[in-house]
Amino acid sequence: MIEVTFYDQVEDNLLRFAVIITKTNGKWVFCKHKERDTYEVPGGHREKGEDIFTTAKRELKEETGAVDFTIKPICVYSVKGKTRKNETIESETFGMLFVANIFSFEPIHSEIEKIIITDNLVDNWTYPLIQPKLLKEAENRGYL
């Protein structure tokens, strides 16, 4: 069982991740990691000394090659439970959800094998019990 909860805000030091729901020219942007056969929205771990907005911008650039883009926060989310095979989170972990629109790209130099740009949401999510809920919350809050 997995629990995804949404908050307007939490203490900044609790935010460990940034996830960025991304579009370009009205189409979805998804990433495929080199070690997985699934797709995900751009995002990643916050680095030491980094504010969460900087994390979001860095991860968007690293994972999509975004050069020119707009990005804004939506809300805080938390996850508790089994996120992937053999990966269980016992305590609640927090991240900030963002939305971005990319206007130009450069080649990717990261752990991401490729990005896809599509009119439709993907079926084979890396985190199928989390990512669709994040998109639904963004939609419910008027960001999509």
Side-chain angles (χ1 to χ4, degrees), residues 1 10 13 28 47 56 73 92 100 117 126 142:
M1 182 74 178
V10 296
N13 65 320
W28 299 103
E47 294 182 357
E92 192 173 25
I117 298 170
T126 301

Side-chain angles (χ1 to χ4, degrees), residues 22-115:
T22 308
K23 287 193 170 185
T24 186
N25 292 321
K27 297 177 185 250
W28 299 103
V29 178
F30 298 107
C31 304
K32 184 192 171 299
H33 192 283
K34 291 175 181 175
E35 298 176 0
R36 297 189 273 273
D37 294 324
T38 54
Y39 289 91
E40 53 205 67
V41 295
H45 291 82
R46 183 179 186 174
E47 294 182 357
K48 185 176 173 87
E50 192 174 56
D51 69 74
I52 200 66
F53 191 67
T54 301
T55 302
K57 292 187 291 186
R58 177 182 51 77
E59 289 290 349
L60 185 65
K61 289 176 185 178
E62 287 176 2
E63 296 196 353
T64 67
V67 176
D68 182 21
F69 58 89
T70 59
I71 186 169
K72 55 187 163 188
I74 298 173
C75 65
V76 174
Y77 71 95
S78 72
V79 175
K80 184 177 180 183
K82 193 173 184 74
T83 58
R84 282 193 303 185
K85 187 177 181 181
N86 301 324
E87 188 177 301
T88 300
I89 300 171
E90 296 299 330
S91 61
E92 192 173 25
T93 59
F94 294 88
M96 179 68 79
L97 181 61
F98 292 83
V99 63
N101 190 22
I102 301 174
F103 303 107
S104 64
F105 297 85
E106 65 183 14
I108 302 168
H109 304 287
S110 72
E111 71 278 3
I112 299 301
E113 179 180 310
K114 67 178 179 177
I115 62 168

Side-chain angles (χ1 to χ4, degrees), residues 4-12 14-15 52 72-78 92 94-98 137-138 140-143:
V4 179
T5 307
F6 297 96
Y7 303 90
D8 290 327
Q9 61 185 21
V10 296
E11 294 291 326
D12 179 72
L14 294 176
L15 297 171
I52 200 66
K72 55 187 163 188
I74 298 173
C75 65
V76 174
Y77 71 95
S78 72
E92 192 173 25
F94 294 88
M96 179 68 79
L97 181 61
F98 292 83
E137 184 68 15
N140 289 345
R141 289 177 180 245
Y143 287 90

